[in-house]
Structure formats: structure tokens, C-alpha cells
Amino acid sequence: MSSQARSKNEPQTSAVSDVSLTNPDRLYWPDEGVTKQALADYYAAVWPFMAPYVVNRPLALLRLPDGIKSHQRFFQKHAWKGMNPHIEEIADPQDADGEELLRIADFNGLVALVQSAVLEIHPWGVTTDDWDKPDMITMDLDPGEDVAWSAVISAALELKTRLEARGLAAFVKTSGGKGLHVVTPLAPKAGWAEVKDFAHSLAESMSADAPEKYLATATKAKRGGHIYIDYLRNGRGNTAVAAYSTRARSGAPVSMPLDWSELNDVSGPAAFTLGNVPRRLETQPRDPWGNFFGAAVPLE
């Protein structure tokens, strides 16, 4: 299913899976009362929008078997014992003799992740059709503790201006964590090195033009009062949290795609949650990322 724009009056369809959930009442977010079943129901509602950003992509997965208060946290890039067969193993063509990586092909795969207590999904910015030609750039705006949310919004708008000046499209989403992600669709032509170099130059230019606001390096000693423009999501094997993925944080926040026109009305990076997103999808006039891949051009 695609993430095409839909009429405000068109009924929202939910996906159906033949993967069985064991212990569906297990609490993944105990303070919010969010169970394994509720997480599966959430993903059924968002699947028509989410699918292009997680299907047939190498994945890194944050698993918390006993929910967000679990002492066991696994950042999983490879198979685990008892893994559901709907979570596929696939060899990296550059590491054919190494341990296989993970992907999903359909909604059954996503429900299998829910069954395995995957609370965050972090894809590569590439599909497994062509592992070495990224189809997106993700710029992660990571503010220091004392940076106002309005400054993060301003940084996102500045990135948008700079990307569009280069003939590239810019889309925005909350991270569900501390900041915003500005994401650019690409026609998959350039390789990882070119894409990472471009992202690096973008971060460096913003830092050079406004060093009092922005950093292009992750030096913790200098983070106070600054926004770190994390371009490192764009290296081969690096990941960023998927659009519509939940986050393993209090409040059950999700990484939510937005229209640029609504950004100033968003209260913060965790404004959208597993509880309020389905209602948002029912009432929004269109998918704000509906033309994401339609806007892709090659990186020159």
C-alpha cells in the first residue's frame, strides 16, 4: 500500500496480519497503559502511510522484552533465537560472508516486530534493491538541553531553504525524541560517500554561518545553547528512526511526518503519541508526505 494523499472523507483502512500475538496484554508503556495489542493496532492504522519507509530496507531494531522500563535493551541488527520468519534475514552484498541483516517485506513483518517487543524501528536510508544508492538524506536536529523549541523549528526552516536552493525537496518530521528530522528524498543515483559528503557540507555551512547557534560536530563540551546538526545518519550502515515509528520513551511518542505549514503549531518533539496519532490520521486533509518519493531528484 502506498502513502498517496487521500480525501478527508475517505475512510482510513487498517492492515490485517496473520501473525499471532502471544500475551497481547503485556504492557510495553506501563504508565500509559499501552499493551502489545495496542501497539499492533496503532501500526495497523498507520501502515498505509508508514510502509514505504520500512519495507525492504535494512533495519536496526530496539527491543525491550519487558517494555520501556525493562532492564534488558537490545539494539538488534541481526537475528535472535526464536525470531518470527516474517522478519527476513538478508546478506549485505558488501559483507556476503558476515552475519545477515534484517528486513521486513509486509505488514506481517511489522506485527512480528511487535510480537518481539521491537519498540523502535531504525531503517537505513536505502532499499535492498540497491544497497549502495541511498534514496533519502536525513538531517537530525539535536538541541542542547537549554535550546528553545522555537530555535529547533528555525533550524529546520533554514535547512529547508538551503536544500531547496540546491533543487532538492525537504520534508519534516518530529523525532519523537528531542528534535526534528529534515528529510530529503533522492532519486537513487549517488553513492553513500557523495550523500554523506553533501550532508556534511550542509551541516558545516550552517555552523560556519551561525556558530552561536549550530554545531556540525558532536562535541559534548560545546553543546550548551547549540543545535547539533547530525549528518552522520547518512553513512552506509547508519540509521534514523522511521517515520511513524514509536519511541521507547515515556508518553509513547512517535516520529511524526508534518506539513511545513503546521510546524509552528507543534508543541514539541514528543507532541505526537501512540494515543493521538490515529485520530490525527483520520482528520488530516492529506498525507503531508504523500508526494515524498514523487519529489525525488538525483543529488548532483
Side-chain angles (χ1 to χ4, degrees):
M1 302 179 76
S2 71
S3 59
Q4 296 302 307
R6 59 188 62 218
S7 163
K8 187 172 184 177
N9 298 317
E10 184 179 345
Q12 173 70 46
T13 56
S14 294
V16 177
S17 171
D18 59 15
V19 175
S20 298
L21 295 180
T22 60
N23 303 310
D25 295 330
R26 175 168 291 167
L27 286 166
Y28 280 165
W29 285 267
D31 291 345
E32 292 76 22
V34 176
T35 63
K36 181 189 292 188
Q37 183 65 59
L39 180 58
D41 292 344
Y42 162 77
Y43 278 134
V46 304
W47 180 248
F49 302 91
M50 181 184 192
Y53 311 109
V54 293
V55 165
N56 293 334
R57 294 178 181 274
L59 302 175
L61 308 167
L62 182 59
R63 296 179 60 227
L64 293 90
D66 297 313
I68 68 165
K69 297 189 176 181
S70 172
H71 294 297
Q72 297 183 79
R73 287 177 168 246
F74 306 103
F75 198 67
Q76 205 102 36
K77 295 184 178 182
H78 308 291
W80 56 89
K81 185 177 180 180
M83 189 176 78
N84 188 289
H86 285 290
I87 305 169
E88 300 177 353
E89 295 183 75
I90 183 169
D92 179 346
Q94 283 199 13
D95 188 21
D97 296 325
E99 198 169 358
E100 292 185 318
L101 300 177
L102 305 174
R103 72 174 177 186
I104 61 172
D106 52 27
F107 184 64
N108 286 322
L110 184 57
V111 177
L113 298 182
V114 173
Q115 167 61 20
S116 297
V118 171
L119 303 191
E120 295 189 6
I121 303 169
H122 296 252
W124 291 28
V126 75
T127 71
T128 53
D129 293 333
D130 193 339
W131 290 67
D132 289 293
K133 298 293 172 58
D135 65 353
M136 66 180 69
I137 301 169
T138 299
M139 304 297 286
D140 179 7
L141 297 172
D142 185 4
E145 296 294 336
D146 53 348
V147 174
W149 175 240
S150 58
V152 184
I153 293 175
S154 295
L157 292 168
E158 175 67 18
L159 269 172
K160 177 179 185 286
T161 297
R162 291 176 183 245
L163 286 161
E164 290 176 345
R166 297 290 298 269
L168 298 169
F171 293 77
V172 67
K173 65 184 177 80
T174 61
S175 69
K178 296 191 296 179
L180 290 168
H181 290 170
V182 178
V183 189
T184 293
L186 294 177
K189 303 288 186 184
W192 285 109
E194 294 87 351
V195 169
K196 186 177 179 181
D197 284 349
F198 173 79
H200 188 189
S201 68
L202 196 61
E204 288 282 6
S205 67
M206 284 185 64
S207 177
D209 291 346
E212 75 283 2
K213 295 180 182 179
Y214 306 128
L215 292 173
T217 56
T219 307
K220 288 188 176 181
K222 297 180 180 178
R223 291 293 292 277
H226 290 78
I227 296 170
Y228 169 45
I229 304 171
D230 183 357
Y231 66 90
L232 295 172
R233 308 286 178 178
N234 302 292
R236 194 181 195 281
N238 297 118
T239 63
V241 70
Y244 300 98
S245 172
T246 54
R247 304 303 303 268
R249 297 168 179 259
S250 296
V254 306
S255 181
M256 176 53 48
L258 302 169
D259 190 271
W260 285 102
S261 65
E262 61 185 329
L263 188 54
N264 284 316
D265 296 325
V266 175
S267 61
F272 298 96
T273 69
L274 189 146
N276 64 29
V277 166
R279 176 62 179 164
R280 167 182 164 80
L281 298 184
E282 290 172 2
T283 58
Q284 69 182 3
R286 64 181 184 87
D287 176 2
W289 282 28
N291 191 42
F292 183 86
F293 290 107
V297 296
L299 180 67
E300 298 298 339

